[in-house]
Amino acid sequence: MFLRILATLSIYLVFTNAYEVDTYEFLMPNVWPHRDELYLCTPIRISPQTNYYIVGFEPNASMHTAHHMLLYGCSEPGSNDSVWSCGEMQSNEIDDMYNTASPCRSGSQIVYAWARDAPSLHLPKDVGFLIGKDSPIKYLVLQVHYMHGFPGGKTDNSGVFLKYTKKHMPRQAGVILLGTGGMVPPNGIEHMETACTVREDKVIHPFAFRTHTHALGKVVSGYVVRRKDSGDDWQLIGKKDPQLPQMFYPVVNDSPIGIDDVLAARCTMNNTNDFPVNIGATNKDEMCNFYLMYWVQNDSPLEQKYCFSAGPPFYYWHKAPLNFNRIPELEASTL
Ligand SMILES: *[C@@H]1O[C@H](CO)[C@@H](O)[C@H](O)[C@H]1NC(C)=O
Ligand SMILES: *[C@@H]1O[C@H](CO)[C@@H](O)[C@H](O)[C@H]1NC(C)=O
Ligand SMILES: *[C@@H]1O[C@H](CO)[C@@H](O)[C@H](O)[C@H]1NC(C)=O
């Protein structure tokens, strides 16, 4: 078992806004991606005695090697190995070099994502992801997707430089993931939709979003729906072509979201195949994801980390129990 401990390693210091920000170089430990389409994970354990706030992420990777990187916060890591195989496609693959497990065994949440060409992400002023002592995030797990295997002897240390501070940040960052199950029928357009009412008495301030589908996704859009006597007010949070780099982008509307507001997302899929495509774990399957990153003032992030529906043909906004009206049919599916 090999776990690097964040508390013991600080590489250098910079001073911004009159508090100390350290950098932790969270990199793959010179792994050898021995085959194509390999997802590798590596963990760090966060010192449980201390609160740390992550305030920025600087990718240290080349798009020639890393297709994408995701950073998970976990209560428990998926494995105790220093590196393991942790792909979306893990369920039907046995790797002959690395053990296979999901990124997290428990308490999984996404805290950062990087894809080709994406620049550094610096959180807004006074905003940080709390990890360690008072956070359910006891481990961070870095996942790198290697599209192409390396020749023998060539290794990789892609990763992300974490900017963190021990100074108390009054605004904690959080991420909620909206997504669907379901199936995309052959030869046509399908809408994969989800929606959840905010049940916790917190005020969340959205500031960034990320979309994810596989090849069939055309548009992914996210909304907050304010329910009024005069009708539903659908405010766009953000929408994107998921074929563009799947990084966090700034929201188009950062007005606060509170209890009884509804978060909603749609993926517009174009299935040009003459067979149906399911939501699922392999690359031949599809996914429909909208990640919302937000901050809360002097509060902890939402307990709710996920908002999933059964997806088509079982769930659509227009058939949802929430009884929506004024659904922005056209706007939600066009860029
Ligand atoms: C990552 O950072 C290290 C120094 O910490 C550097 O040697 C390496 O070249 C960087 N890799 C990439 C791909 O930028
Ligand atoms: C890692 O090791 C700990 C302590 O030995 C054990 O409790 C835990 O189940 C192990 N985790 C996994 C994923 O094997
Ligand atoms: C779906 O894809 C097909 C084939 O690329 C294209 O002809 C069609 O216009 C697309 N439909 C929409 C609504 O984008």
Side-chain angles (χ1 to χ4, degrees):
M1 179 166 106
F2 167 65
L3 295 175
R4 290 164 283 167
I5 299 187
L6 185 57
T8 61
L9 279 172
S10 60
I11 312 299
Y12 59 87
L13 303 174
V14 292
F15 293 87
T16 49
N17 300 330
Y19 60 85
E20 209 174 274
V21 175
D22 291 75
T23 299
Y24 179 78
E25 300 193 357
F26 190 8
L27 304 173
M28 279 289 158
N30 292 311
V31 295
W32 178 47
H34 61 293
R35 60 172 174 83
D36 292 354
E37 294 295 348
L38 182 64
Y39 288 68
L40 292 179
C41 278
T42 190
I44 44 174
R45 187 169 82 93
I46 316 303
S47 162
Q49 275 91 42
T50 314
N51 282 328
Y52 300 94
Y53 294 85
I54 304 177
V55 296
F57 304 90
E58 292 181 357
N60 176 246
S62 142
M63 59 179 255
H64 303 298
T65 55
H67 181 253
H68 80 237
M69 298 191 293
L70 286 180
L71 194 60
Y72 290 85
C74 311
S75 307
E76 286 180 286
S79 162
N80 285 327
D81 296 347
S82 62
V83 181
W84 66 93
S85 164
C86 58
E88 278 179 0
M89 284 144 258
Q90 52 165 296
S91 48
N92 60 353
E93 274 185 15
I94 306 290
D95 193 83
D96 50 10
M97 196 166 158
Y98 298 103
N99 289 322
T100 297
S102 48
C104 300
R105 172 180 261 196
S106 66
S108 166
Q109 55 179 292
I110 300 271
V111 298
Y112 174 68
W114 176 91
R116 281 182 281 179
D117 301 330
S120 301
L121 173 66
H122 290 279
L123 303 186
K125 188 174 175 301
D126 297 334
V127 177
F129 275 98
L130 176 63
I131 58 174
K133 185 166 173 252
D134 294 321
S135 169
I137 301 179
K138 306 298 187 192
Y139 292 81
L140 291 171
V141 172
L142 171 70
Q143 180 193 58
V144 178
H145 175 191
Y146 296 97
M147 280 259 269
H148 304 294
F150 281 25
K154 190 170 177 293
T155 61
D156 180 65
N157 63 349
S158 295
V160 54
F161 291 179
L162 302 176
K163 299 288 181 182
Y164 70 97
T165 179
K166 286 193 226 176
K167 169 145 192 296
H168 174 79
M169 292 286 111
R171 298 175 168 181
Q172 277 191 45
V175 171
I176 182 166
L177 169 57
L178 292 83
T180 80
M183 186 268 288
V184 191
N187 302 310
I189 302 288
E190 182 60 287
H191 293 159
M192 315 195 89
E193 296 172 331
T194 186
C196 296
T197 305
V198 177
R199 297 279 178 215
E200 295 167 62
D201 192 7
K202 294 175 188 271
V203 178
I204 72 169
H205 297 259
F207 64 90
F209 74 101
R210 171 183 188 257
T211 67
H212 175 69
T213 68
H214 296 164
L216 304 185
K218 294 292 164 200
V219 182
V220 181
S221 51
Y223 288 84
V224 54
V225 190
R226 321 235 185 223
R227 318 223 59 193
K228 297 176 178 165
D229 294 340
S230 53
D232 292 338
D233 180 11
W234 292 71
Q235 288 177 3
L236 185 68
I237 297 170
K239 59 181 171 178
K240 212 69 185 175
D241 174 352
Q243 305 306 325
L244 294 174
Q246 295 177 351
M247 53 181 259
F248 280 96
Y249 293 92
V251 297
V252 300
N253 184 337
D254 64 1
S255 51
I257 297 167
I259 190 164
D260 295 338
D261 287 338
V262 177
L263 291 171
R266 170 190 283 180
C267 302
T268 301
M269 318 296 272
N270 186 354
N271 188 358
T272 50
N273 301 302
D274 49 17
F275 49 86
V277 178
N278 291 300
I279 289 285
T282 82
N283 209 18
K284 296 192 193 85
D285 297 325
E286 264 302 333
M287 292 188 85
C288 165
N289 290 164
F290 181 93
Y291 295 81
L292 181 62
M293 195 182 278
Y294 60 86
W295 55 264
V296 285
Q297 180 90 38
N298 298 322
D299 202 348
S300 53
L302 294 175
E303 307 247 321
Q304 185 174 5
K305 308 289 181 203
Y306 299 95
C307 164
F308 271 72
S309 78
F314 310 107
Y315 179 98
Y316 295 95
W317 285 342
H318 68 260
K319 296 203 308 201
L322 284 167
N323 232 327
F324 288 123
N325 56 56
R326 299 185 172 174
I327 294 170
E329 279 300 340
L330 201 60
E331 185 201 73
S333 292
T334 46
L335 289 167

